[in-house]
Each structure stands twice: as C-alpha cells, then as structure tokens.
Amino acid sequence: MPLAATGDLVGRAAARRGAVAAFNVITLEHIEAVVAAAEAAGAPVILQISENAVRYHGGRPGPLAAAAVRSAEPSTVPVALHLDHVTSDGLLRQAADCGFSSVMFDAAHLPYEENVAVTRAAAAWAHGAGLWLEAELGEVGGKDGRGPLDAHAPGARTRPEEARHFVAETGVDALAVAIGSTHAMTSRDARLDHALLADLRAALDVPLVLHGSSGVPDDELRRAVGGGITKVNIGTALSIAMTAAVRAHLAGDERAVDPRGYLAAGRGAVTEAAARLLPTIAAAPVA
Ligand code: G3H
Ligand code: ZN
C-alpha cells in the first residue's frame, strides 16, 4: 500500500485511544525488519530516520528515505515515514522532497522563549510544505551520550501550563513530553510520572509523544498509552537486539566473511524485538 501519513496514523490511534509505534531505523536491514514486524503484528507503524542517522549516511537523507518509501509500498499494513530530532533548518527543508510526511523539530535544549521562536518558525514552514510537525518541551535526557537529567533539574519534566502556552504559540501538531523516560537506556526500568501525564493530557489538545521508550517496561508503556500517549518512539531496543545478534553470529563463526550472514542475524533480531513491542504499544488500552 502507498506510504501513509504520520498525522493520519497518529490521529487514528488517538481516535481509538491507543498509540502507534515509531521505530528509529538506521540501515536498510532495520527498515526491512520493522516493516516485517508490523506486518506480522497487523499494526500500522512509523519508520523514523533521525538527524543522527542522516549524519551517519553522509548528511544525505535521500538514500535511506528512498529505501523506506520503497520498502513500505508492498507492505500489507500502513507505514509512515518521519524525520526525527531535527535541529537543522537545512534538513527540515529537505523533508517533503524525500518522502517524509512529518518532522520532529528538536529545540528542547533551548531556553523557553527561544524554543518557542524557532519551533514556531519550523511549524509554519512545515505546514506550508504539507508536513505534520512534532516538537518537544521539557527535555527528555540522554541524547547524544549525555546522561539522564536529574528529575528535579530545570526542564526535566514538562510543565502543563507552560506546555499549553507552547502549543498555542507555536501551532505544533504533537508534543513530546518529559515525564520520566530517558533516551538510550539499555535497561527497561524507567518509571513514568503518570500523574503528570494526566495533567498534560487534560491541559493539551494535541497528541502526546513518548521519547526514550526503550527503557520503559511493558506495564509502564501500557499505562502511558492508557493515560494519553499516542506515539511511542523506540530506537535503542532495536540497536541492542541487532548488535547482540551480530556479535553472537561472528563469535560463533570466526571464519565468516559474508556480511549477509551477520546482517541477516541482526535483521532477524530487530524483527523479533519490534514484533515483541508492537502488540504492547498498538493494542487498545484496557479501560
Ligand atoms: O526519538 C527517538 C526515541 O526517543 C528513541 O529513544 O532510543 O531511547 O528508545 P530510545
Ligand atoms: Zn527521541
């Protein structure tokens, strides 16, 4: 089926008070694995390419995005393409031409007024190009090798009243909120602030996005979706699965030289990891 639009998938998830999973993809094998997992689960999915992944591919978003578009076309489930954690205006401006239907513009590290100003400009530009725009207020820590934020550090939690103003002032379509998750966790023991999520849900009329979801255990993910999270972002869990499988494959065959052997092992492990997570995220929450 043709590429779906992120806004449509998130809107449909919100209508049934569920969520859509958004997986970060770095290689063609990630893309193939996530699409296969979504088909196996019978669930729509968002493929996300981050600015860091674009940098890994020489700063060009086009080749990997084209692979994602082509891989989504024969899929039996809706697949959307999202450009994640964008800080560069130049990259933002390439999004529509590369097949992305949405962008997460990341200015959460800036002081509030600056975040508002650059996000407002990004949203205006994105909307003019037909793109759905997600932004972040409060800071989900752990990005780019930086450690987790202390829960009491300024910005470590999204403040509902400030978030209401932020959404009104910027016109964003969705908001990533800081409620206790952290990027790049390799253990699944994060505890979320569900009372804060309830306050944010009550204060805001846009879909809420959970970043750093690899570190959030299944029961917390289910509660978060039940409490109003509509898009669940997962990256590190796939990296852990892929790397462990590649490492095991190579350790088990010291004479291996064909990359297809270990890449297939990595791809299979990513499929399994995504297939395990999808039902938890995509299933309608228990009332
Ligand atoms: O935007 C991407 C996500 O927030 C991924 O976070 O790698 O910790 O799962 P994660
Ligand atoms: Zn993130």
Side-chain angles (χ1 to χ4, degrees):
M1 71 180 62
L3 211 58
T6 300
D8 289 344
L9 298 191
V10 172
R12 270 185 254 164
R16 63 175 180 79
R17 300 173 71 197
V20 58
F23 290 105
N24 285 82
V25 295
I26 303 170
T27 67
L28 175 60
E29 283 74 15
H30 283 88
I31 293 168
E32 292 168 334
V34 170
V35 172
E39 287 184 316
V45 77
I46 298 169
L47 300 172
Q48 320 194 115
I49 299 175
S50 71
E51 185 172 280
N52 283 340
V54 171
R55 194 171 297 127
Y56 168 73
H57 289 288
R60 298 168 62 221
L64 195 63
V69 172
R70 285 281 184 251
S71 303
E73 277 166 4
S75 165
T76 56
V77 293
V79 178
L81 185 57
H82 176 79
L83 188 56
D84 196 28
H85 281 291
V86 170
T87 61
S88 146
D89 280 335
L91 181 57
L92 170 67
R93 282 167 168 66
Q94 295 176 66
D97 287 344
C98 293
F100 296 95
S101 59
S102 58
V103 176
M104 186 270 188
F105 190 79
D106 186 355
H109 53 287
L110 296 176
Y112 177 80
E113 292 300 344
E114 284 176 56
N115 189 356
V116 167
V118 296
T119 301
R120 183 196 291 132
W125 192 89
H127 292 156
L131 296 165
W132 181 96
L133 193 107
E134 171 189 334
E136 180 172 323
L137 180 70
E139 193 177 348
V140 179
K143 276 277 294 159
D144 299 330
R146 296 192 296 272
L149 291 174
D150 181 89
H152 303 291
R157 296 289 182 269
T158 306
R159 299 208 296 261
E161 201 43 34
E162 194 172 63
R164 208 168 56 76
H165 288 291
F166 183 83
V167 169
E169 288 179 280
T170 58
V172 297
D173 301 294
L175 191 68
V177 289
I179 57 171
S181 60
T182 296
H183 286 104
M185 283 180 68
T186 52
S187 59
R188 294 187 77 200
D189 51 9
R191 290 287 148 199
L192 303 178
D193 187 336
H194 297 281
L196 174 58
L197 175 58
D199 290 345
L200 288 162
R201 186 61 290 160
L204 301 169
D205 57 5
V206 293
L208 304 181
V209 182
L210 187 66
H211 281 243
S213 306
S214 292
V216 182
D218 285 348
D219 58 333
E220 286 285 273
L221 281 179
R222 275 192 214 96
R223 270 187 84 184
V225 174
I229 290 291
T230 310
K231 175 171 175 277
V232 175
N233 286 13
I234 299 195
T236 302
L238 305 189
S239 297
I240 293 169
M242 178 178 265
T243 303
V246 170
R247 187 174 281 133
H249 181 93
L250 292 174
D253 181 2
E254 288 196 352
R255 294 170 57 207
V257 291
D258 187 338
R260 287 172 290 192
Y262 57 83
L263 290 178
R267 181 177 55 195
V270 172
T271 304
E272 277 174 32
R276 255 197 317 274
L277 286 159
L278 271 160
T280 303
I281 296 163
V286 181

